[in-house]
Amino acid sequence: MNNRAILLGTMTSSSKAIAACALLIVVCIGALSFWSEVRNEDDREWVTHTLLVVEKLQAIRIDITQSETGQRGYLLTGREEYLEPYQAGLDLVRRDMQVLRDMTSDNPREQKAILRLGPLIAARLAELSGGIEARKESGLLAGVEAVAYGNTGGKWMGRIGAEIGEMSETERRLLNSRLDAATASTRKMKVVIVCGNALAILILLVKGFVIQRETGRRNLAEQKLKHANDRLERSTAELSETNIELESFAYSVAHDLRAPLRHIAGFSNVLAEDYGPQLDGEGRRCLGKLADGAQKMGRLVDDLLSLSKVGRQELSLGAVLLDSLLRQAVEELAPECSGREIQWRIGDLFSAECDPGLMKQVFVNLMSNAIKYTGKRKHAVIEVGQTMLNGERVVFVRDNGAGFEMQYVGKLFGVFQRLHKAGDFEGTGVGLAIVQRIIRKHGGRIWAEAELDRGATFFFTLGTPEISPASEPNFTIKQEVMHV
């Protein structure tokens, strides 16, 4: 457990509350700062908008002046080139008036002013258009008269200028009020942020004192934890030694049981052959039970010896093609498949760093298990292949046999554990425990997925093999030997 975990584990409720308050204040300050920036951005947009409105009002006056200049030039000279600035001014006036209406759509007062301004501009433009028509129809004298008359049109421009000036003044007052509101809001926000930061610093100082006090408690807890870890390490070492001794004991016991079992089986056969006819039916039945029990006990002893040997055996590692081991395993299991209809689906495997003898036993045990539990299928299907799981190569052995309920999967790899009745399927319940032991010695893992009466699939991976297999604690052996 690292120091951070210890600190979090020993933190008191008051310390957590202080930390939560400090964090809350910092979050609030951040939110207020963000909101203030958003408000400032809105204020800047409104200022820009007001300035654009004022600019557009001035542009309208300039547009009208441009049209007047073009009209006078045409009236005095009759040259068509003066009509271009006149027409351009008319187009700009219409466009700028429409833009001005859109920009002030949220201001009823300005909209009313535009309604007053529009007819004035229309009257002035109509006057200019009338002078041009008179020049075209009546010649230079009419143009000079129109210019002289047009000079009296200053009254229109005066009224137009007055309306534009009033609108500009309205926009300026609106701009000043918005600037004042923005300044006041910014001032208040600065005060709030400064006070919030000061409060957060104060809380953090208090938190520092609390942490210092809790650090002392943490150091004391670390010392106790260190002593507990030392005791745990000693207990683990003792347990490992005990398991190694028990494994050796199991091997010795199983090995020593073989001779008495052979004697029992041998003398039972002799008794059956020599004295069987002299025994009645019950005697022959009891003698048969004795022989069957000796044979079953012999198989259990052999499996227990195999399990013990796997734990004691050192790995002989090398680069091995798993496809080759798989073919050898299929050939070895051919006698078990005699007289049955089994469809083999063998996929391509890969090369791995492993012990070839032990890995062959893995394939033999898993496929033998599949053959056994598909025994009641008229058409058995056994599939072996590989897949990818989270970037890791996984080998699988799948069958369409009896399967099992997943709630019992935890018992699957235990020694002498069976998920089916002995009368339904023969076996000692050690084969999968041997497979698990071999896979673990190769640094891999094994698991299974199944559904009752719909088959089972066993998956396994290969990782980094163990350097010292004999040091592996084995609690399964310990439990089973004590049971025996």
Side-chain angles (χ1 to χ4, degrees):
M1 184 181 295
N2 55 34
N3 290 341
R4 180 178 176 82
I6 296 174
L7 177 60
L8 292 176
T10 58
M11 185 178 291
T12 63
S13 58
S14 60
S15 177
K16 293 180 180 179
I18 293 174
C21 290
L23 179 61
L24 180 61
I25 291 174
V26 171
V27 170
C28 291
I29 291 174
L32 288 174
S33 299
F34 176 77
W35 180 75
S36 177
E37 182 61 28
V38 172
R39 284 289 304 274
N40 290 336
E41 184 67 25
D42 291 341
D43 292 336
R44 286 192 292 270
E45 290 180 358
W46 278 114
V47 169
T48 302
H49 177 270
T50 303
L51 294 175
L52 289 175
V53 171
V54 173
E55 180 182 350
K56 193 59 65 177
L57 289 170
Q58 298 301 325
I60 291 173
R61 296 186 65 175
I62 295 173
D63 297 338
I64 296 173
T65 302
Q66 178 179 340
S67 295
E68 289 179 341
T69 302
Q71 188 245 21
R72 287 194 182 94
Y74 177 75
L75 293 180
L76 296 176
T77 64
R79 296 167 60 181
E80 295 288 335
E81 62 189 55
Y82 286 103
L83 292 178
E84 292 181 4
Y86 164 76
Q87 188 61 45
L90 292 181
D91 295 338
L92 288 174
V93 168
R94 296 189 185 97
R95 187 193 67 186
D96 290 343
M97 284 294 293
Q98 184 58 46
V99 171
L100 185 63
R101 290 189 187 93
D102 295 338
M103 293 178 66
T104 59
S105 60
D106 60 336
N107 192 329
R109 182 173 181 178
E110 294 288 61
Q111 288 290 304
K112 292 180 180 179
I114 291 174
L115 291 177
R116 295 193 299 270
L117 179 62
L120 297 177
I121 293 176
R124 179 54 181 157
L125 294 179
E127 187 178 73
L128 295 177
S129 177
I132 291 174
E133 293 299 326
R135 176 66 173 84
K136 287 180 179 180
E137 294 175 0
S138 303
L140 178 61
L141 182 59
V144 172
E145 291 178 355
V147 169
Y149 175 75
N151 288 335
T152 62
K155 65 177 183 179
W156 295 112
M157 290 304 296
R159 296 177 62 183
I160 291 172
E163 290 292 341
I164 290 177
E166 183 179 349
M167 292 179 68
S168 298
E169 184 61 27
T170 300
E171 289 295 326
R172 290 189 182 93
R173 288 196 299 270
L174 183 60
L175 174 62
N176 291 333
S177 65
R178 286 171 176 168
L179 288 176
D180 293 340
T183 301
S185 177
T186 301
R187 188 182 304 112
K188 293 178 181 178
M189 192 59 60
K190 288 179 178 179
V191 172
V192 171
I193 291 175
V194 169
C195 294
N197 284 327
L199 182 58
I201 291 173
L202 178 61
I203 291 177
L204 290 176
L205 289 176
V206 174
K207 175 63 178 175
F209 287 116
V210 174
I211 290 177
Q212 184 178 6
R213 184 187 63 184
E214 293 181 348
T215 300
R217 298 179 180 176
R218 183 197 65 189
N219 292 335
L220 180 60
E222 285 179 346
Q223 294 177 2
K224 294 181 179 179
L225 180 62
K226 184 177 182 301
H227 295 322
N229 286 336
D230 292 340
R231 291 195 299 271
L232 181 60
E233 289 177 1
R234 289 194 297 269
S235 299
T236 302
E238 294 173 359
L239 182 60
S240 178
E241 293 176 1
T242 302
N243 281 327
I244 294 173
E245 293 174 358
L246 286 174
E247 188 168 332
S248 300
F249 174 73
Y251 179 81
S252 301
V253 169
H255 186 273
D256 293 342
L257 284 175
R258 299 182 75 179
L261 286 172
R262 283 197 301 269
H263 292 163
I264 295 173
F267 284 112
S268 297
N269 290 334
V270 171
L271 185 61
E273 292 175 0
D274 295 346
Y275 299 97
Q278 302 176 22
L279 298 175
D280 59 7
E282 180 64 20
R284 287 193 296 272
R285 189 185 69 82
C286 292
L287 190 59
K289 290 288 186 180
L290 181 64
D292 291 342
Q295 290 178 358
K296 291 181 180 179
M297 186 65 181
R299 288 196 295 269
L300 286 174
V301 169
D302 290 340
D303 287 342
L304 185 58
L305 281 173
S306 299
L307 184 63
S308 298
K309 288 178 180 178
V310 170
R312 297 158 59 89
Q313 180 178 344
E314 293 186 3
L315 296 178
S316 178
L317 298 176
V320 180
L321 288 173
L322 298 184
D323 299 86
S324 175
L325 298 181
L326 182 57
R327 287 194 298 271
Q328 296 175 26
V330 172
E331 293 175 1
E332 184 175 321
L333 293 170
E336 296 185 22
C337 304
S338 178
R340 291 188 53 191
E341 182 183 348
I342 298 179
Q343 179 183 357
W344 291 94
R345 298 177 181 175
I346 306 297
D348 295 330
L349 299 183
F350 51 91
S351 178
E353 187 78 8
C354 62
D355 185 309
L358 293 179
M359 283 308 302
K360 177 184 174 183
Q361 187 173 0
V362 168
F363 284 115
V364 169
N365 286 14
L366 289 178
M367 290 192 295
S368 176
N369 193 71
I371 292 171
K372 176 172 63 175
Y373 287 103
T374 56
K376 298 183 179 181
R377 291 284 187 265
K378 182 178 180 181
H379 177 71
V381 178
I382 300 176
E383 182 181 0
V384 183
Q386 64 166 313
T387 184
M388 296 296 295
L389 181 63
N390 297 327
E392 184 179 22
R393 280 181 171 177
V394 178
V395 180
F396 64 87
V397 178
R398 181 179 292 121
D399 63 69
N400 66 335
F404 56 87
E405 295 183 4
M406 285 299 291
Q407 60 179 320
Y408 302 117
V409 72
K411 298 181 178 181
L412 194 62
F413 298 100
V415 178
F416 305 137
Q417 294 286 347
R418 298 178 54 85
L419 303 186
H420 300 85
K421 295 180 180 179
D424 294 336
F425 300 98
E426 295 183 354
T428 59
V430 181
L432 291 180
I434 293 175
V435 170
Q436 185 186 56
R437 180 77 62 87
I438 294 174
I439 295 299
R440 285 182 175 176
K441 285 175 71 69
H442 283 81
R445 55 195 178 91
I446 183 169
W447 68 97
E449 296 177 359
E451 189 174 346
L452 189 62
D453 202 39
R454 301 192 66 177
T457 304
F458 288 84
F459 304 88
F460 70 85
T461 64
L462 295 176
T464 303
E466 297 176 352
I467 297 176
S468 178
S471 64
E472 176 187 295
N474 193 306
F475 300 97
T476 305
I477 287 290
K478 176 181 177 181
Q479 294 169 354
E480 295 304 325
V481 171
M482 291 176 63
H483 175 73
V484 172

